[in-house]
Amino acid sequence: MGRWRDGTGTLRVGDTDIPLEVAASYRARTRGLLGRDGVPGALLLTPAGSVHTFGMRFAIDVAYLDRRLTVLAVRTMRPGRLGLPRPRARHVLEAEAGAMERWGIRAGARVAVHPPGA
């Protein structure tokens, strides 16, 4: 994907399609999942190399992705935590705690992002 824009799309992991929200603008990345009670699929923050969960209402899974959308690491973060920056991370994928394991997202996996209608 060339230039990232705020919007929706699909995250593909293997044969699984997951609803995806993309937060590419400063405002959308800053807002992230704050003030929400859940997320129906996943949220991709780009560019991003670290996240925090201050002000969050629920625990999240966080996957750090490199520029080729290969997963560098996956962590579960409870509310009120600060994640350490990951070298080489260019994007961060967030979902409700436990979702990444169900989807098969783990270090070394490669994901694909498809905009609407693709």
Side-chain angles (χ1 to χ4, degrees), residues 57-79:
R57 297 179 180 169
F58 56 97
I60 61 172
D61 283 346
V62 177
Y64 298 91
L65 310 174
D66 68 10
R67 66 184 66 222
R68 294 181 180 195
L69 301 180
T70 300
V71 179
L72 301 172
V74 178
R75 298 287 179 262
T76 300
M77 294 177 64
R78 295 180 303 181

Side-chain angles (χ1 to χ4, degrees), residues 3-21:
R3 183 148 171 86
W4 295 91
R5 293 190 177 138
D6 294 345
T8 60
T10 304
L11 176 72
R12 178 161 285 171
V13 182
D15 293 334
T16 306
D17 287 338
I18 300 148
L20 179 70
E21 181 180 344

Side-chain angles (χ1 to χ4, degrees), residues 11-57:
L11 176 72
R12 178 161 285 171
V13 182
D15 293 334
T16 306
D17 287 338
I18 300 148
L20 179 70
E21 181 180 344
V22 177
S25 69
Y26 175 78
R27 185 177 199 165
R29 288 191 320 267
T30 302
R31 186 178 57 243
L33 296 175
L34 296 176
R36 299 187 195 188
D37 292 321
V39 58
L43 173 68
L44 179 70
L45 304 170
T46 182
S50 66
V51 295
H52 69 82
T53 57
F54 297 116
M56 297 278 295
R57 297 179 180 169

